[in-house]
């Protein structure tokens, strides 16, 4: 009886059960389940409302807790390098999976309804760089601009790090740490409601599309998920073994609460407290590195999206019989990598960026609207792989930094003797 009680209170297990039951109820009762979607939306709103203070306070304390500007710079560069390199590998996997599995051959999308996808403002280097900076901190917070909030937090965090008066610095940090404690407690409360929210969200999705999700675009969604699995096993698995001597399956077992939450919430930012807790408790990552690497990664690391974008292009080219040259594949890899590491502040996320990349390569955009209708099944994969990529990167940087500190101490000891 005691074991049964433990299972029932285990949010991770209950969320998995809720996902299965949601799919079953959606298929059985159809669009009727859509009338209860508002319950799932309330749960998502409870998560979204805390994202801005979460990112702001976490990044400030993560930077201010570093030993000095030198160690901060070293950790920052290593984190960015890891994210960019793994994202590039992810684009290659996305291209390879789509070319080998050919999801766009021999299928018809007739009868499927396309979702309207608004075209974003023109993206240029100038507009992107300008969009990173805010002229009104409260305006940024009220508009929910996460990427600007991140930049503000980084600048203020560096300012706190450079404070000369230790008493004042500790006073400021104590305030932000206290707010962090409240945010983490709040997130823990919301996480316990995950099974309820997930049930109604999945029930609505399956009620709307029924078994059509297993036909039509099933080949594309399957190809995408094959890419996600390959990214996890090959890229993240080899990184974990290289830096931490850790088996990828051990990693997945330890991080189960993380990827169960991301499958349910489809929010990288909201998962930050969950993944920080896992990084510190399950993988012994120091607090400062965990907060910095995971908060930054939630905005700039997008391995799952890097698989999605080139796969969409190849899927469309196969649908319409468009021949692609080798140079086009090179361009796909470069453009997808750049978009994934710089599009954290673009409203609409993955769907909008799909439209951007399809238009960039001059392909028919109608298919994007159809894929958007099934996007939750894709978003579950992109968010989960993105967040697990953040965790892998943070673990690897932590081990890298650990070795650097040990080497520096050894050199200092040799010089002293």
């Amino acid at each position: 009886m005691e074991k049964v009680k433990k299972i029932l209170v285990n949010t991770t297990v209950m969320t998995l059960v809720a996902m299965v039951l949601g799919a079953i109820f959606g298929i059985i009762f159809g669009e009727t389940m859509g009338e209860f979607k508002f319950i799932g939306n309330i749960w998502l709103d409870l998560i979204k409302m805390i994202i801005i203070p979460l990112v702001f306070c976490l990044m400030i304390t993560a930077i201010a807790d570093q030993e000095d500007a030198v160690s901060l710079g070293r950790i920052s560069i290593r984190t960015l390098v890891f994210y960019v390199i793994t994202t590039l590998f992810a684009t290659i996997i996305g291209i390879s999976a789509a070319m080998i599995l050919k999801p766009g051959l021999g299928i018809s999308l007739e009868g499927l309804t396309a979702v309207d996808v608004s075209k974003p403002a023109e993206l240029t280097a100038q507009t992107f760089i300008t969009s990173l900076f805010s002229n009104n901190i409260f305006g940024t917070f009220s508009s929910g601009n996460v990427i600007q909030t991140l930049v503000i937090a980084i600048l203020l965090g560096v300012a706190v790090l450079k404070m000369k008066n230790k008493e004042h610095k500790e006073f400021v940090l104590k305030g932000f740490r206290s707010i962090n404690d409240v945010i983490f407690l709040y997130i823990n409360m919301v996480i316990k409601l995950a099974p309820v929210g997930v049930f109604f969200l999945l029930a609505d999705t399956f009620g709307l599309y029924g078994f059509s999700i297993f036909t039509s675009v099933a080949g594309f969604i399957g190809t995408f998920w094959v890419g996600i699995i390959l990214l996890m096993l090959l890229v993240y698995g080899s990184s974990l073994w290289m830096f931490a001597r850790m088996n990828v399956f051990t990693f997945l077992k330890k991080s189960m609460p993380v990827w169960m939450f991301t499958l349910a919430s489809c929010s990288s930012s909201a998962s930050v407290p969950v993944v920080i807790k896992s990084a510190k408790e399950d993988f012994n990552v120091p607090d400062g590195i965990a907060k910095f690497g995971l908060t930054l990664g939630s905005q700039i690391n997008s391995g799952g999206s890097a698989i999605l974008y080139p796969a969409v292009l190849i899927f469309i080219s196969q649908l319409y019989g468009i021949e692609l040259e080798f140079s086009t594949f090179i361009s796909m890899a470069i453009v997808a990598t750049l978009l994934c590491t710089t599009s954290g502040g673009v409203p609409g996320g993955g769907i909008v960026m799909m439209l951007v990349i399809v238009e960039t390569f001059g392909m028919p955009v109608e298919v994007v609207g159809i894929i958007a209708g099934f996007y939750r099944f894709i978003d579950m994969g992109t968010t989960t792989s993105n967040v697990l990529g953040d965790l892998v990167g943070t673990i690897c940087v932590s081990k890298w930094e650990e070795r650097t500190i040990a080497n520096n101490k050894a050199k200092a000891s040799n010089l002293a003797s």
Side-chain angles (χ1 to χ4, degrees):
M1 189 67 184
E2 186 66 27
K3 288 185 178 180
V4 174
K5 186 177 179 180
K6 286 183 179 179
I7 291 175
L8 289 175
V9 298
N10 188 311
T11 305
T12 302
V13 175
M14 292 303 296
T15 301
L16 180 60
V17 172
M19 292 173 71
V20 174
L21 289 177
I24 293 172
F25 271 66
I27 291 171
I28 293 174
F29 296 105
E31 295 186 15
T32 302
M33 295 305 299
E35 298 178 12
F36 303 96
K37 183 184 178 183
F38 73 93
I39 299 174
N41 287 336
I42 290 173
W43 178 68
L44 288 178
D45 288 340
L46 290 174
I47 295 173
K48 292 176 182 176
M49 66 165 279
I50 205 69
I51 288 176
I52 294 298
L54 169 71
V55 170
F56 184 69
C57 295
L58 275 181
M59 184 53 75
I60 287 179
T61 55
I63 292 174
D65 281 337
Q66 300 300 322
E67 292 182 6
D68 50 47
V70 174
S71 63
L72 173 63
R74 186 172 61 236
I75 292 169
S76 301
I77 292 171
R78 289 175 173 178
T79 302
L80 289 170
V81 167
F82 182 90
Y83 288 155
V84 171
I85 291 176
T86 53
T87 299
L88 180 58
F89 276 115
T91 63
I92 295 171
I93 288 174
I95 292 171
S96 302
M99 288 303 295
I100 293 170
L101 298 177
K102 303 184 186 305
L105 294 184
I107 70 164
S108 173
L109 300 181
E110 290 183 13
L112 292 179
T113 303
V115 175
D116 288 332
V117 181
S118 301
K119 182 179 179 180
E122 185 180 357
L123 291 175
T124 64
Q126 182 178 345
T127 57
F128 167 71
I129 294 172
T130 304
S131 70
L132 295 177
F133 299 94
S134 169
N135 61 6
N136 184 334
I137 186 171
F138 298 106
T140 294
F141 291 169
S142 64
S143 65
N145 191 317
V146 180
I147 200 73
Q148 284 188 0
T149 301
L150 182 67
V151 172
I152 293 170
I154 289 172
L155 295 174
L156 290 178
V158 172
V160 175
L161 179 64
K162 289 180 171 291
M163 288 179 70
K164 300 297 183 183
N165 189 312
K166 292 185 178 180
E167 184 179 341
H168 290 175
K169 178 179 178 180
E170 187 56 35
F171 176 79
V172 172
L173 279 174
K174 187 177 180 180
F176 280 113
R177 289 182 187 129
S178 298
I179 297 173
N180 276 338
D181 289 342
V182 175
I183 291 173
F184 272 64
L185 287 171
Y186 172 84
I187 290 289
N188 284 333
M189 289 165 50
V190 175
I191 288 173
K192 291 179 181 179
L193 298 174
V196 178
V198 170
F199 172 80
F200 288 105
L201 289 172
L202 264 292
D204 169 70
T205 301
F206 276 90
L208 186 61
Y209 297 108
F211 283 102
S212 66
I213 188 60
F214 301 111
T215 59
S216 58
V217 295
F220 172 73
I221 295 175
T223 299
F224 165 74
W225 275 94
V226 167
I228 295 295
I229 293 170
L230 290 175
L231 174 66
M232 194 70 247
L233 297 179
L234 299 180
V235 179
Y236 296 155
S238 59
S239 299
L240 285 167
W241 180 253
M242 187 184 306
F243 287 93
R245 290 293 183 265
M246 184 185 300
N247 184 293
V248 67
F249 298 106
T250 301
F251 167 79
L252 289 172
K253 182 180 178 181
K254 287 185 175 182
S255 63
M256 186 178 178
V258 174
W259 52 262
M260 285 302 301
F261 181 79
T262 55
L263 286 172
S265 68
C266 293
S267 173
S268 296
S269 298
S271 69
V272 170
V274 183
V275 73
I276 286 177
K277 183 174 183 291
S278 179
K280 291 163 58 176
E281 296 180 3
D282 300 324
F283 301 100
N284 299 315
V285 176
D287 183 70
I289 295 179
K291 288 179 180 177
F292 180 82
L294 295 168
T295 307
L296 183 65
S298 70
Q299 298 306 308
I300 70 166
N301 182 45
S302 304
S305 302
I307 290 173
L308 173 64
Y309 300 153
V312 166
L313 291 172
I314 295 171
F315 176 64
I316 295 174
S317 71
Q318 291 169 352
L319 272 175
Y320 290 91
I322 301 171
E323 292 291 332
L324 299 177
E325 298 179 356
F326 181 74
S327 59
T328 305
F329 294 123
I330 300 295
S331 299
M332 282 183 190
I334 295 172
V335 173
T337 301
L338 289 173
L339 283 178
C340 288
T341 53
T342 60
S343 61
V346 177
I351 297 173
V352 172
M353 296 316 298
M354 269 198 291
L355 181 63
V356 170
I357 198 167
V358 168
E359 286 199 330
T360 299
F361 284 85
M363 293 187 180
V365 298
E366 294 81 6
V367 180
V368 175
I370 293 174
I371 294 174
F374 300 93
Y375 190 69
R376 182 166 186 83
F377 295 95
I378 296 171
D379 203 12
M380 292 165 72
T382 54
T383 303
T384 299
S385 60
N386 292 349
V387 172
L388 289 181
D390 299 344
L391 182 55
V392 170
T394 302
I395 292 170
C396 293
V397 170
S398 172
K399 294 298 181 182
W400 196 352
E401 184 70 7
E402 189 179 294
R403 293 189 189 111
T404 299
I405 293 173
N407 290 336
N408 289 341
K409 287 182 178 179
K411 289 178 182 177
S413 178
N414 290 336
L415 289 173
S417 59

